[in-house]
Amino acid sequence: MTFGMYSICFLVLLYLFHGSEEICPSMCLCVSDIVSCSSSGLTKLPQSLPSFSVTLDLSHNHFSWLGPGSFKKMSRLENLQMAHNQIRTLGYGVFHNASGLRHLDLSSNRLQVVEEHYFQGLWRLEELLLFNNKIAQVESGTLSGLSSLKKAYFSLNQITHFPFFSIRDHSHPFLTMLDLSSNRLNRLPWEDVKALPGLVQRGLYLHNNSLICDCSMYSVFWHWQLRNYDSMKDFTDEHTCTIYGDSHASIRFLLHNRFFHNCTVEKAVSEPVTVYLSAVSVSEGGKVHLDCETSLRGANLSFTWLSPSKGRITQASVNDTLINVFANGTLEIQGAKVNDSGLYVCTAVDIKQALNATREVNVTVVLPAQEAFNTGYTTLLGCAVTLILILMYLYLTPCRCSFCKQPKPAANPTAAYNPNALTSVFSPSMRDEHKIPTDKHVAFLEPMMTRPKQEII
Ligand SMILES: *[C@@H]1O[C@H](CO)[C@@H](O)[C@H](O)[C@H]1NC(C)=O
Ligand SMILES: *[C@@H]1O[C@H](CO)[C@@H](O)[C@H](O)[C@H]1NC(C)=O
Ligand SMILES: *[C@@H]1O[C@H](CO)[C@@H](O)[C@H](O)[C@H]1NC(C)=O
Ligand SMILES: *[C@@H]1O[C@H](CO)[C@@H](O)[C@H](O)[C@H]1NC(C)=O
Ligand SMILES: *[C@@H]1O[C@H](CO)[C@@H](O)[C@H](O)[C@H]1NC(C)=O
Ligand SMILES: *[C@@H]1O[C@H](CO)[C@@H](O)[C@H](O)[C@H]1NC(C)=O
Ligand SMILES: *[C@@H]1O[C@H](CO)[C@@H](O)[C@H](O)[C@H]1NC(C)=O
Ligand SMILES: *[C@@H]1O[C@H](CO)[C@@H](O)[C@H](O)[C@H]1NC(C)=O
Ligand SMILES: *[C@@H]1O[C@H](CO)[C@@H](O)[C@H](O)[C@H]1NC(C)=O
């Protein structure tokens, strides 16, 4: 063999192992910054997990707890999958030095108490999956400090008390999904629930609990139903409460509200109710429709748009041929100019019920020359080509040097091309979706399903 052949072979190995220190554990699969050790029968963490990993998949193993500083060397970790293990507790400081975590999946484990220290320091955490555990108690400080939290799933547990009071106007500004469905909540602190920020109330799922029917409960749901929240629309049947706490006397209170006829519900106050956000992109000179669909429904809505370049626009005020507001609130812009870019805010007002709702659309007018170039795709393509080249070097060149170890079977990069293996890493919840027998347990699995509309009696 020539010297050139040796050096190519050496370089290939160097590339595969990403530096001599960072060897992919034999039971794991390492591709780029993704390390997957799922379904490997692990009971404890592999000795040397590569410190460069951004995504670490440890789901479907046999972990029963995680010790302090488990991930302390993985400062780049953003995505940790630990679903389908037998984790009962987490030690103090488990996520010490892993404060970059944004997605944490501990679903389908055996957690019983969510202790205050569990998620300490995870101020970047956006998504927390704890559904299908045995959680009876969520300690009051658990969510404090999780200021980036967007979605938290606690469904299918045995929770009787939840620290609603710890979620306040500015504590969790991005929280839009709090799934507490299918638990054992019975008497909620309704004043705390009513004090939750509007976006949290909109994304709060409480169906299939053991709520006790009373007027303070009904009044909260009445308001949510009036605002047409998805939780009310999609789970009408599953909202039940029990009369006098008797589990046999359970009523579907969104369908049958006779029991609450003597309740007084406060008149809805006029306040901005919802903010829907969306973004559109239009080429210069093009036409764009911005709809003003909000939570408000009905024939008697009036719409006002606030445009960055033209100020307030209503149906009556339009005298510009290039701009129009339709009766359904849709704003039409013809011949869009770059100057028309910006945030458009529509306010829909229902005068009769004294409700208003807003919708925001971020409009970007692009010059036709500025083609959006999908760098993510090209990076992926480049990566695939590189890998194929490496494989060709490994298996097609007559490289028989004695010091060149064959890659271990589990780390064999060919496996990376198995699309099924990759799905579990890139879309972690797919596997769980199939495992869950009915589609109604977990609220967030719902929006994909289409179901016949419920008749409201
Ligand atoms: C962990 O973080 C501390 C500072 O909080 C730092 O001093 C230490 O070096 C880090 N340890 C590792 C292994 O990165
Ligand atoms: C409502 O009040 C009326 C009289 O005030 C009473 O007769 C009726 O039983 C009450 N209904 C319920 C469901 O409590
Ligand atoms: C909501 O509507 C009321 C009147 O119906 C109005 O005075 C108030 O300014 C509106 N709020 C917003 C944010 O548009
Ligand atoms: C709409 O409001 C007008 C008065 O503002 C009223 O006459 C009409 O009946 C209302 N229509 C509906 C469908 O509520
Ligand atoms: C609408 O017309 C009035 C006069 O009829 C004019 O003063 C105003 O500038 C016009 N507004 C726009 C946006 O063109
Ligand atoms: C509103 O009406 C306009 C014109 O009739 C139509 O083009 C648009 O699709 C409608 N928007 C919605 C959301 O229905
Ligand atoms: C955008 O607006 C500014 C001032 O408002 C103006 O000077 C500029 O010419 C406008 N540009 C275009 C492309 O219309
Ligand atoms: C609107 O979109 C542009 C480009 O996508 C972005 O730079 C800008 O920050 C967005 N504005 C808001 C208010 O979201
Ligand atoms: C309701 O919750 C129980 C557990 O509390 C669960 O077994 C059941 O499947 C749930 N039902 C629905 C319709 O989600």
Side-chain angles (χ1 to χ4, degrees), residues 283-295:
S283 334
E284 188 170 47
K287 183 163 91 172
V288 65
H289 275 181
L290 311 179
D291 70 62
C292 185
E293 283 193 38
T294 62
S295 57

Side-chain angles (χ1 to χ4, degrees), residues 23-97:
I23 294 176
C24 186
S26 60
M27 70 294 279
C28 307
L29 188 70
C30 306
V31 178
S32 166
D33 52 14
I34 299 170
V35 176
S36 170
C37 316
S38 76
S39 308
S40 305
L42 295 173
T43 54
K44 57 186 175 102
L45 289 175
Q47 281 284 311
S48 57
L49 281 166
S51 66
F52 55 80
S53 48
V54 171
T55 295
L56 175 61
D57 186 354
L58 295 168
S59 56
H60 294 273
N61 280 299
H62 306 297
F63 290 99
S64 57
W65 85 297
L66 290 173
S70 290
F71 307 100
K72 63 173 186 287
K73 290 191 186 134
M74 309 180 78
S75 54
R76 293 181 60 198
L77 194 61
E78 288 182 8
N79 191 346
L80 178 60
Q81 315 280 335
M82 297 226 49
H84 294 280
N85 278 284
Q86 285 114 48
I87 299 172
R88 288 167 194 276
T89 53
L90 303 180
Y92 276 87
V94 177
F95 301 112
H96 182 65
N97 284 35

Side-chain angles (χ1 to χ4, degrees), residues 4-22:
M5 209 58 100
Y6 276 112
S7 52
I8 286 172
C9 200
F10 183 67
L11 279 178
V12 165
L13 276 180
L14 206 66
Y15 186 92
L16 273 182
F17 292 150
H18 212 290
S20 51
E21 303 293 319
E22 305 277 28

Side-chain angles (χ1 to χ4, degrees), residues 298-300 351-352:
N300 259 349
I351 295 159
K352 213 165 124 202

Side-chain angles (χ1 to χ4, degrees), residues 232-253:
M232 305 292 112
K233 275 187 302 185
D234 295 342
F235 297 96
T236 312
D237 282 347
E238 288 80 7
H239 278 89
T240 56
C241 65
T242 56
I243 300 174
Y244 314 121
D246 176 359
S247 61
H248 299 293
S250 164
I251 54 177
R252 295 180 176 174
F253 61 89

Side-chain angles (χ1 to χ4, degrees), residues 139-384:
E139 289 187 352
S140 57
T142 302
L143 298 179
S144 57
L146 303 186
S147 53
S148 301
L149 198 61
K150 292 179 177 168
K151 298 177 173 185
Y153 301 98
F154 289 92
S155 177
L156 287 166
N157 280 295
Q158 289 141 29
I159 300 171
T160 53
H161 294 88
F162 189 84
F164 292 104
F165 64 85
S166 68
I167 302 171
R168 276 291 163 267
D169 264 342
H170 301 292
S171 64
H172 300 81
F174 308 105
L175 189 60
T176 54
M177 162 65 87
L178 178 57
D179 185 1
L180 286 165
S181 62
S182 301
N183 274 290
R184 298 199 182 150
L185 296 166
N186 52 40
R187 284 186 199 283
L188 264 63
W190 292 111
E191 289 307 317
D192 290 350
V193 173
K194 278 194 276 188
L196 288 171
L199 284 175
V200 178
Q201 291 191 39
R202 164 168 286 275
L204 179 60
Y205 288 80
L206 288 172
H207 58 274
N208 195 23
N209 271 288
S210 359
L211 300 176
I212 291 173
C213 305
D214 65 27
C215 285
S216 52
M217 178 214 91
Y218 185 69
S219 133
V220 171
F221 284 98
W222 184 83
H223 279 103
W224 290 345
Q225 205 175 18
L226 190 68
R227 286 160 172 76
N228 211 11
Y229 287 176
D230 286 347
S231 53
M232 305 292 112
K233 275 187 302 185
D234 295 342
F235 297 96
T236 312
D237 282 347
E238 288 80 7
H239 278 89
T240 56
C241 65
T242 56
I243 300 174
Y244 314 121
D246 176 359
S247 61
H248 299 293
S250 164
I251 54 177
R252 295 180 176 174
F253 61 89
L254 294 183
L255 294 171
H256 309 287
N257 59 9
R258 209 159 14 101
F259 182 79
F260 303 101
H261 274 179
N262 290 355
C263 293
T264 53
V265 288
E266 309 103 85
K267 191 91 192 102
V269 287
S270 68
E271 57 177 21
V273 181
T274 9
V275 179
Y276 280 113
L277 291 161
S278 58
V280 297
S281 178
V282 58
S283 334
E284 188 170 47
K287 183 163 91 172
V288 65
H289 275 181
L290 311 179
D291 70 62
C292 185
E293 283 193 38
T294 62
S295 57
L296 300 183
R297 296 276 177 274
N300 259 349
L301 298 180
S302 73
F303 301 93
T304 307
W305 281 93
L306 197 60
S307 134
S309 50
K310 302 201 168 57
R312 293 179 86 81
I313 308 167
T314 59
Q315 224 179 337
S317 79
V318 170
N319 61 356
D320 183 336
T321 51
L322 294 177
I323 280 206
N324 200 0
V325 178
F326 299 119
N328 61 13
T330 295
L331 177 74
E332 181 187 68
I333 306 171
Q334 292 179 30
K337 292 189 210 63
V338 172
N339 273 8
D340 290 331
S341 296
L343 199 63
Y344 286 70
V345 182
C346 176
T347 307
V349 181
D350 183 336
I351 295 159
K352 213 165 124 202
Q353 292 184 337
L355 291 172
N356 20 2
T358 57
R359 180 177 184 101
E360 296 184 3
V361 188
N362 185 1
V363 176
T364 312
V365 181
V366 290
L367 295 169
Q370 286 176 327
E371 279 282 295
F373 196 59
N374 195 336
T375 47
Y377 183 73
T378 46
T379 310
L380 205 68
L381 198 70
C383 185

